Amino acid sequence: MLASAGLFLLPAAMVSTPFNVLPFALVLLLTSARGFSDLWRVRAGVIGYLLLALTVAALASSLVSSWQSAEAFRDEGYRTRFLAMPWVLLWVCAFRPRQEMLWWGALFGLFATLAIAAYQVVQGWPRAEAWTNSIVLADVTLVLMILLVFCRPPGRWGWIALGMAAGGTVILLSGSRGVWPALLALLVAMTLSIRRGSGRLRLASLAGLLLVAATLVLAVPQLRELTRLTELHSDVQRIEAGDVDSSAGARLERLQVAWDTFREHPWTGVGIGKFDIAMQRLPDCRLPQAVEARCHLGHAHNDIAEWGATQGIPGLLLLLCIYGLPLWLFIHLHRHSGVDGFRGPAAAGVMVVVAYILCGVTQSMFAHQITVSTYATLVGVLTGLSLVAASERYRRQNEQRQPGQRTAEQRQPVRG
């Protein structure tokens, strides 16, 4: 019961409270301490060892990078969140919380986050931020929408439609544009996962819905302001004029800085969490008291640029493993899940990884504690739920076989 409550709190409190994953972490600690013997007896097999190896690699990489620069940075602390992957995997397998509670938590989290975002905008905030920042709010909201769609119980499409509308509104109020490709991927995957009608008809319906939404955004000035399309147009004009002091311009500038830094330090980078040092190659950022905001953002706003510039080739290979290994595991688990269609915890895991990859084009997803904690915890949770579901299916199959075997044995003639 307590484990199921923790599973509910994980998505419910993620961005709707300032505590993020802390409520779930407290339940995790309490239940693990009380049921340590159960946790110790769990055997997660090869999958557990692979996640443990990935965790060790992430921690070792951050320690080596910090040792080389003789300093400790916040990103090193954020990497400790990867310890949640193997731990939470064992926790789910040991205590078997109800998967439905994760779905209810995601639904509650979306409605609660919408209330906070709407309040902030009504109060005059230019962009909704909840308890974090606008970009992270949009990214984590999308993750909640993924859990809502792919961890769904049967016959809850009405609630799913309301939850998706709530999540879409939060993303709109956040003004984040970088989340759009991942949102489109979610909508396409959701459309294909529905078992009603032909695939072409569903995709045509989605295309029509997107066309209507795009028309409304372009036609209504208030929606253009909320989605920051007017600002994007202005940014492009400023970039063409040589002015990079804008949202889009700063991102392009940081990509160039990252590439130049990577070419100079291909094997070590400038050190984990030290992208601002790389920015000092720009004249405006070399001044003793540089006040340019773009000199002090703390990261590259792009996963590949961030890891390549700060940790070099080893960092890029580690990033490939952090995304690639869970993605491969989830695809493998879904293919052997026996689930009809693309749904279930393994399907949700695939979409979480895909969403992080797409959002990582315009954001450094592992430079913020919320996004690191969310990714590491959900990889463990969804992997564990997939293994539990496979175990339950295997047990039911055995129970169905055994009566038939006994009947066959009874029919055999007795030989004496």
Side-chain angles (χ1 to χ4, degrees):
M1 181 67 72
L2 189 56
S4 295
L7 203 61
F8 172 86
L9 288 172
L10 174 60
M14 200 170 286
V15 283
S16 63
T17 72
F19 308 111
N20 310 130
V21 299
L22 180 60
F24 170 77
L26 293 176
V27 175
L28 177 67
L29 284 170
L30 178 60
T31 52
S32 297
R34 289 179 57 184
F36 181 76
S37 58
D38 295 330
L39 204 65
W40 181 256
R41 286 195 297 266
V42 172
R43 297 293 179 265
V46 175
I47 291 178
Y49 286 116
L50 287 175
L51 291 185
L52 179 60
L54 183 59
T55 300
V56 171
L59 293 177
S61 171
S62 64
L63 290 173
V64 169
S65 183
S66 295
W67 173 74
Q68 288 176 339
S69 59
E71 295 182 40
F73 293 89
R74 59 172 189 165
D75 284 29
E76 179 188 72
Y78 291 171
R79 297 287 175 87
T80 60
R81 270 65 171 185
F82 284 105
L83 288 169
M85 285 194 297
W87 183 3
V88 173
L89 167 62
L90 295 177
W91 179 81
V92 172
C93 292
F95 303 111
R96 304 200 169 203
R98 293 169 52 203
Q99 177 182 316
E100 188 175 356
M101 297 303 291
L102 186 68
W103 183 85
W104 281 112
L107 183 65
F108 177 88
L110 286 168
F111 287 139
T113 305
L114 173 60
I116 295 169
Y119 174 80
Q120 290 178 339
V121 173
V122 169
Q123 291 298 311
W125 292 39
R127 300 170 64 182
E129 297 181 1
W131 309 100
T132 173
N133 64 60
S134 300
I135 300 174
V136 171
L137 171 62
D139 293 342
V140 178
T141 297
L142 180 72
V143 171
L144 297 182
M145 295 165 70
I146 289 172
L147 298 179
L148 184 75
V149 170
F150 296 103
C151 293
R152 62 185 184 267
R156 299 289 171 83
W157 280 107
W159 285 111
I160 291 173
L162 290 175
M164 290 291 288
T169 304
V170 171
I171 292 174
L172 182 67
L173 295 178
S174 74
S176 176
R177 300 183 299 249
V179 75
W180 290 358
L183 178 59
L184 178 61
L186 167 60
L187 292 174
V188 171
M190 180 183 72
T191 301
L192 294 177
S193 71
I194 299 173
R195 309 302 295 174
R196 297 179 181 177
S198 66
R200 290 182 180 179
L201 178 60
R202 286 173 287 173
L203 287 176
S205 300
L206 175 62
L209 180 63
L210 293 175
L211 181 61
V212 171
T215 303
L216 285 174
V217 168
L218 294 174
V220 180
Q222 290 84 356
L223 290 178
R224 285 204 306 272
E225 290 297 328
L226 279 175
T227 54
R228 298 169 61 222
L229 288 179
T230 303
E231 179 184 322
L232 179 61
H233 179 68
S234 174
D235 289 354
V236 172
Q237 291 180 328
R238 292 171 66 178
I239 292 171
E240 291 175 348
D243 180 8
V244 295
D245 191 12
S246 62
S247 177
R251 280 174 166 80
L252 292 176
E253 182 181 61
R254 298 177 91 74
L255 289 176
Q256 184 61 54
V257 167
W259 172 242
D260 293 339
T261 303
F262 176 76
R263 290 194 300 174
E264 288 184 8
H265 308 279
W267 291 104
T268 62
V270 294
I272 184 173
K274 299 178 67 175
F275 191 80
D276 282 355
I277 291 180
M279 288 297 293
Q280 291 180 5
R281 61 173 52 249
L282 300 177
D284 291 344
C285 300
R286 258 188 242 123
L287 301 175
Q289 296 179 339
V291 295
E292 292 284 343
R294 70 184 196 274
C295 300
H296 306 290
L297 292 177
H299 53 80
H301 269 290
N302 178 282
D303 271 340
I304 295 176
E306 173 77 18
W307 290 61
T310 58
Q311 297 181 77
I313 293 174
L316 291 176
L317 293 176
L318 178 59
L319 179 64
L320 178 63
C321 292
I322 286 174
Y323 282 146
L325 178 60
L327 182 61
W328 177 80
L329 288 176
F330 284 128
I331 292 174
H332 173 78
L333 288 169
H334 179 68
R335 289 180 60 188
H336 294 83
S337 66
V339 175
D340 183 24
F342 189 67
R343 62 183 180 86
V350 170
M351 290 309 301
V352 166
V353 178
V354 170
Y356 263 69
I357 292 172
L358 293 176
C359 290
V361 175
T362 57
Q363 175 66 298
S364 297
M365 300 300 289
F366 299 102
H368 303 274
Q369 70 90 8
I370 300 177
T371 46
V372 179
S373 301
T374 298
Y375 184 82
T377 307
L378 283 180
V379 166
V381 165
L382 295 172
T383 304
L385 290 175
S386 300
L387 292 177
V388 168
S391 174
E392 289 294 322
R393 188 179 66 258
Y394 180 75
R395 181 184 60 81
R396 288 194 301 268
Q397 289 174 348
N398 279 344
E399 290 177 350
Q400 291 172 357
R401 281 198 217 99
Q402 288 173 359
Q405 292 173 351
R406 286 196 298 268
T407 302
E409 292 171 357
Q410 292 170 358
R411 290 175 180 172
Q412 291 180 356
V414 178
R415 298 178 183 178

